[in-house]
Amino acid sequence: MSETPPFTVLSTLKDVANNVDCAKFEKVSQPETKLSVEVDENRLIWRNDENQLTIKKDCVNGISLVPLVNNGEDFAALVLSFVANDGESIQYRLVTSHISECQWLIGIAEEVADQLQLKLANELL
């Protein structure tokens, strides 16, 4: 579990479950501003704040870090790609951090990519 930096925003995760058949959303008890990611043989379990998303591992087909600009400020986002209900690929921004916090985000992304055995597409470089 990781303490979320102050200028980081975590997704509510509900939209992912609404559009990805192999994803399940539920509310859980967890301290706020915490991010926890677990991967077992078949599932990715992503928890943030009081939200939990459980996804079949084979439904996750990509992970990337992308740059964003909002009101002249630089941000970085961790984006997961999924196989959507219609069989197409769909992407969701799960974490957005101010660029000053990107080392934290890179560490999280590398850990998740490693656990999922996916290549991290780092567009921040």
Side-chain angles (χ1 to χ4, degrees):
M1 198 174 309
S2 179
E3 186 72 30
T4 306
F7 302 110
T8 292
V9 177
L10 303 174
S11 168
T12 62
L13 307 177
K14 200 169 194 175
D15 286 342
V16 177
N18 289 340
N19 292 297
V20 179
D21 279 339
C22 56
K24 177 185 164 194
F25 173 83
E26 60 188 311
K27 289 286 189 184
V28 294
S29 296
Q30 180 168 306
E32 288 189 36
T33 69
K34 297 281 188 182
L35 174 65
S36 170
V37 181
E38 299 172 39
V39 179
D40 64 21
E41 288 182 20
N42 302 311
R43 305 172 301 160
L44 166 69
I45 302 166
W46 187 285
R47 293 184 195 96
N48 62 25
D49 297 331
E50 296 178 343
N51 303 306
Q52 177 174 299
L53 187 67
T54 304
I55 310 155
K56 290 181 184 174
K57 228 168 92 169
D58 59 359
C59 288
V60 182
N61 59 8
I63 181 169
S64 57
L65 289 168
V66 297
L68 303 171
V69 177
N70 185 17
N71 292 328
E73 291 281 329
D74 292 323
F75 292 84
L78 187 155
V79 176
L80 286 183
S81 299
F82 303 95
V83 178
N85 296 347
D86 59 6
E88 296 293 318
S89 184
I90 188 168
Q91 296 181 327
Y92 280 96
R93 182 174 35 177
L94 295 183
V95 182
T96 304
S97 292
H98 189 269
I99 200 69
S100 64
E101 299 169 344
C102 76
Q103 285 308 115
W104 175 84
L105 188 61
I106 290 169
I108 296 291
E110 288 173 342
E111 181 180 327
V112 173
D114 186 53
Q115 290 181 15
L116 290 172
Q117 299 177 347
L118 292 172
K119 181 176 177 6
L120 175 63
N122 187 345
E123 298 175 25
L124 301 177
L125 304 175

